[in-house]
Amino acid sequence: MHYSPGAPILRSYDLQNWEYIAHSVPTLDFGSTYSLTGGQAYVQGIWASFFGYHSTKNTWYWGGCIDFATSYIYSASSVTGPWSRLATINKCYYDCGLLVDDDGTMYVSYVYNNNIWVAQLASDAKSEVKSQQVYSPPSDIGYLEGTRFYKRNGVYYILATHPATSEYVLKSSSVFGTYTIKALASSLSPPISVAGNPHQGGLVDTPSGQWYYMAFIDAYPGGRIPVMAPITWGSDGFPTLTLVNGAWGSSYTSTLSTVSVASPTGADYFTSIGPNWEWNHNPDTSKFSTGSSGLTLYTATITYDLYAARNTITHRILGPKSTATIKLNYSNMKDGDRAGLVLLRDSSAWVGVKRDGGAYTVGYTTGLTMNSDWSTANTGTTTSSVSISGGSIWLRVTADIQPGGTKQATFYYSTDGTNFNSIGSAFTMITSWEFFMGYRFGIFNYATSTLGGYVNVPLFQLDSGTGTTPSSVSTTTTKTSTTTTTFTSKASTTTSKATTTTTAGGWLYWLYILRIGNDLHVPE
């Protein structure tokens, strides 16, 4: 998508607890619109893409099609980077998957002209050797996309989805076919009420030989979230899902030992920008800094439109209900500046500080909307405001993103960090799927008159539920999640079309492409 850096990578040792560790695409260097200069790139950029490890070359690869025209390949010797662009290929590997064959040859599955194709890459992955159509879906199956490519026991498998209900498996003894097909999941009831059917995911195999299918479900307003179920392999060579009474189970017993990782909740003091943060489009790197005093955001754009303002930094929402709180030091804002905390997508609202005529107010602004082409339809209206002074304020948003929940967000401010006052009316989040990522929390600062002002954010705190008293600024940030003996089929982090790779050390890496999800979902 349009968030930068792109294609985040998460790590897990147990398929339950996940942590952000890196991004495969350091910057969206696909044109000026990806930097909000000369236009915008909302809902463009990185969609479904491939990710994999070449053990002989000791190299990780990411690749994807941008703007339906050009495919880019990035690589790194370590999964945590540094990542850099390796190649540009002038064709679109749409919804692609990567297979590194036993002899080290790299193949890419992708969709073209409503059919499934396979391309062979050169040994250096910088060009294509050949490509061939391998499957044309019949009318009773319909359009397929979201491919993933595997090999097991000498047999080639391509997973493909019929959006937004079903997952199919193609099987062949030869990489270029002929392929036969069988349904893996078809219109299954999801483990979360009022959510979509599980589909469009990938296979996971563990070091001890277990296999799982991890898919996603449309679970707006938060986004698309992962679900996972065990699979077994039949005598026909196809995988079969383990269901519960004909439906996706609400939980399954896991044989994997649980390993705690950094919790998604807690305080972030912005001594640096971690991999759990992404900018709305590429940032102007000269207009922000981090360090012992936290995040400093200088105004980078003169506009009345938050959607056009550069350097809004975003964070995925925690489901089913969570609260984001920031401390904002605002004494260095200039007249006309606006800074605050936004609930961001194509229908947005924010709580923040305005400086006008030398005076400061905290207010609630709602009604920010986009048109169907993602251009701005309305820059919003401030419906409630209160005069403030003192130079510091705490801002808070609580959002219920559970599909069967209220779908409402409430906004607050505090002048002492302890007592929070609600401001404005409750905001009802929309549930349309077209803005794939769903809602995010965002921190912004932009000018409407002149550049040069800045704000400081020494604290961001994410809490499950309705929120707690914000932490004091501290350098101690270690926090681990609790372990469990069973895993729910609702995985504990946001997901997407992805490929999982198991290394000799037993680490599991999952590439999360931004088309898919926005929220982290804690199992109920």
Side-chain angles (χ1 to χ4, degrees):
M1 287 291 102
H2 53 270
Y3 293 115
S4 179
I9 304 168
L10 285 81
R11 174 175 59 199
S12 176
Y13 299 89
D14 56 17
L15 292 175
Q16 301 174 63
N17 303 297
W18 294 81
E19 60 182 341
Y20 292 89
I21 59 169
H23 286 83
S24 309
V25 181
T27 186
L28 308 183
D29 50 352
F30 311 131
S32 62
T33 58
Y34 287 94
S35 298
L36 284 176
T37 57
Q40 47 80 14
Y42 285 103
V43 197
Q44 300 177 47
I46 295 173
W47 287 14
S49 45
F50 71 63
F51 175 73
Y53 180 66
H54 197 301
S55 59
T56 304
K57 297 178 180 293
N58 190 31
T59 301
W60 294 85
Y61 293 96
W62 176 92
C65 174
I66 304 299
D67 298 335
F68 301 99
T70 305
S71 297
Y72 298 88
I73 297 177
Y74 289 72
S75 65
S77 58
S78 169
V79 72
T80 56
W83 286 79
S84 60
R85 183 183 294 182
L86 177 70
T88 300
I89 298 176
N90 291 320
K91 68 182 298 184
C92 179
Y93 293 145
Y94 180 77
D95 273 20
C96 51
L98 175 67
L99 170 69
V100 180
D101 210 341
D102 301 333
D103 63 0
T105 304
M106 289 179 280
Y107 297 99
V108 177
S109 60
Y110 64 100
V111 176
Y112 173 69
N113 197 26
N114 296 332
N115 298 312
I116 295 177
W117 288 62
V118 169
Q120 179 184 338
L121 298 182
S123 60
D124 60 4
K126 294 181 179 181
S127 61
E128 178 184 289
V129 174
K130 62 176 289 189
S131 60
Q132 180 177 314
Q133 179 181 312
V134 299
Y135 188 77
S136 179
S139 59
D140 61 332
I141 290 178
Y143 174 71
L144 296 175
E145 63 177 17
T147 69
R148 289 289 169 258
F149 211 172
Y150 305 94
K151 188 178 186 182
R152 175 183 178 269
N153 295 340
V155 178
Y156 297 90
Y157 296 89
I158 299 175
L159 267 67
T161 190
H162 175 71
T165 60
S166 306
E167 188 79 23
Y168 290 89
V169 180
L170 286 75
K171 178 173 73 77
S172 175
S173 59
S174 171
V175 68
F176 288 106
T178 302
Y179 282 86
T180 57
I181 193 168
K182 186 176 181 179
L184 177 64
S186 182
S187 301
L188 293 175
S189 297
I192 300 175
S193 61
V194 200
N197 304 120
H199 69 291
Q200 198 161 331
L203 299 179
V204 184
D205 66 317
T206 71
S208 54
Q210 294 94 356
W211 284 82
Y212 300 91
Y213 169 58
M214 187 178 280
F216 75 73
I217 55 176
D218 290 318
Y220 295 99
R224 291 166 167 173
I225 63 175
V227 291
M228 186 172 69
I231 63 170
T232 57
W233 293 90
S235 57
D236 61 358
F238 281 98
T240 300
L241 273 174
T242 301
L243 303 179
V244 178
N245 297 322
W248 198 287
S250 61
S251 65
Y252 295 92
T253 300
S254 174
T255 59
L256 300 174
S257 299
T258 55
V259 180
S260 296
V261 296
S263 173
T265 61
D268 191 327
Y269 304 105
F270 288 117
T271 54
S272 61
I273 294 177
N276 53 336
W277 291 95
E278 292 164 352
W279 300 90
N280 177 21
H281 293 65
N282 293 322
D284 180 341
T285 58
S286 69
K287 299 295 185 180
F288 75 89
S289 64
T290 58
S292 59
S293 61
L295 172 66
T296 299
L297 288 174
Y298 290 84
T299 54
T301 312
I302 299 175
T303 182
Y304 283 94
D305 180 9
L306 186 146
Y307 291 132
R310 299 189 70 184
N311 287 27
T312 296
I313 191 168
T314 73
H315 194 288
R316 284 176 172 83
I317 297 177
L318 185 72
K321 185 176 184 178
S322 62
T323 298
T325 305
I326 65 169
K327 182 179 181 181
L328 183 76
N329 298 324
Y330 59 82
S331 59
N332 291 297
M333 295 174 69
K334 288 185 176 293
D335 275 351
D337 287 0
R338 282 83 175 96
L341 182 64
V342 62
L343 194 61
L344 184 67
R345 65 161 286 176
D346 54 321
S347 175
S348 303
W350 56 267
V351 58
V353 175
K354 295 183 176 182
R355 174 174 164 164
D356 293 298
Y360 294 94
T361 57
V362 60
Y364 168 69
T365 299
T366 187
L368 292 79
T369 57
M370 293 182 182
N371 297 306
S372 59
D373 63 356
W374 313 119
S375 61
T376 300
N378 195 314
T379 58
T381 303
T382 300
T383 61
S384 302
S385 63
V386 178
S387 296
I388 55 172
S389 61
S392 296
I393 197 167
W394 287 257
L395 305 173
R396 171 172 286 181
V397 180
T398 297
D400 180 356
I401 60 171
Q402 187 166 259
T406 66
K407 304 177 182 65
Q408 289 194 329
T410 48
F411 296 75
Y412 305 87
Y413 73 94
S414 173
T415 56
D416 59 12
T418 301
N419 301 296
F420 281 82
N421 306 294
S422 63
I423 187 168
S425 57
F427 174 73
T428 301
M429 293 174 280
I430 62 175
T431 58
S432 54
W433 65 269
E434 289 85 354
F435 201 94
F436 303 111
M437 303 75 61
Y439 279 92
R440 289 190 176 196
F441 297 124
I443 305 169
F444 66 90
N445 181 34
Y446 65 93
T448 65
S449 179
T450 185
L451 299 177
Y454 63 92
V455 296
N456 172 255
V457 184
L459 169 72
F460 170 89
Q461 183 165 308
L462 182 64
D463 294 300
S464 178
T466 55
T468 60
T469 301
S471 301
S472 300
V473 174
S474 168
T475 57
T476 303
T477 59
T478 302
K479 188 173 183 179
T480 58
S481 61
T482 58
T483 59
T484 57
T485 56
T486 63
F487 70 80
T488 74
S489 66
K490 298 167 287 183
S492 60
T493 58
T494 185
T495 191
S496 69
K497 306 176 188 177
T499 299
T500 305
T501 301
T502 305
T503 69
W507 295 43
L508 298 171
Y509 299 102
W510 193 283
L511 174 68
Y512 287 69
I513 297 91
L514 300 181
R515 176 177 180 179
I516 301 306
N518 186 29
D519 63 291
L520 299 166
H521 197 95
V522 173
E524 289 111 15

